Amino acid sequence: MNEAPTTGRPVELRHLRAFLAVADELNITRAAARLRLTQPAVSRTLAALERHLGVRLVDRSTHHLALTADGVAFRDKAAAAVAAFDEALDPGRLRTWPLRLGHAWSAFGPYTTPLLRAWQERHPGTPLELLRIDDRTAGLTRGEVDAALLRGPVDAPGLVAEVLFTEVRVAAVTADGPLAGRASLALADLAEGPVVLNTVSGTTTAGLWPPHARPATTVTVGNTDDWLTAIAAGRGSGVSTASTATLHPHTGVVYIPLDDAPGVPVLLARRDAPGHPALPELAALAREIVARGATH
């Protein structure tokens, strides 16, 4: 429930820094250590900011802190305000707080290492943190990252995304199973047995198959590790993108080309708000690396 905003003491830079530390750490104790303050001091500062704004920024009802929808929206504004202040004091300094890039699996595919290396060379003052988060938007809608590399269509409200490239799909089958020796496969070949679906962060659903030829049995899991384990154990086959074969090898799984599956777009997504000031540079570098085909 929103609270009536107060008109007492104005918001100061310390309020914004405290909130940003809590938003980054999602833990009052760690935020306090980062700010070199006591835990009660950070809690009071955060509470004062919430009273002034008249909204709850942090949900404290669970064992783990989480930003509210208002908190996610305010984080971008607070970060932009702090950046403007810091840059005004030292215009030549690069932004020093980390740029957090989320992904659910396989990151930027074959372009992952070139992106990380090129960023480090060009922006050494702004660490690029690559974070795997098992969520359809890789933590973007929850405010856990500043941008995310996503696969497949994303219909979450408040996000903007651009397609960087398209990956082909491959089948993932049990290494000692009857399909492992095939040079290529069709979706119909997989539908003859159980299909393992990652329903939390994956892009494959039963809708990939025609209505008259969908798998009779599916096994659902919540992340890429469990998906691979289930296939290796012979519980079914799966469908993923080509980068999964390169970045997630498994001794119990064989990846085989799929002849009749459409490709999957790889997107760079961000919230439709000012956000981290280095986001334009990240997008430009990602486009550059894909355009030149750099994979090493």
Side-chain angles (χ1 to χ4, degrees), residues 7-96:
T7 56
R9 298 180 61 183
V11 171
E12 301 172 2
L13 193 63
R14 64 186 179 88
H15 294 94
L16 302 184
R17 292 195 191 279
F19 166 68
L20 290 173
V22 172
D24 287 345
E25 300 291 346
L26 294 177
N27 181 283
I28 296 291
T29 301
R30 291 197 298 268
R34 173 170 158 180
L35 296 167
R36 297 183 179 179
L37 297 172
T38 65
Q39 182 176 338
V42 173
S43 296
R44 287 194 301 269
T45 303
L46 179 60
L49 177 61
E50 290 178 320
R51 285 196 302 272
H52 182 90
L53 297 174
V55 296
R56 294 295 300 273
L57 300 174
V58 177
D59 182 3
R60 305 172 180 79
S61 62
T62 60
H63 294 296
H64 301 286
L65 293 185
L67 296 183
T68 64
D70 288 321
V72 170
F74 186 70
R75 183 188 186 280
D76 292 328
K77 297 175 183 178
V82 172
F85 178 85
D86 290 343
E87 194 166 356
L89 295 181
D90 186 2
R93 188 188 60 159
L94 287 172
R95 298 93 170 187
T96 56

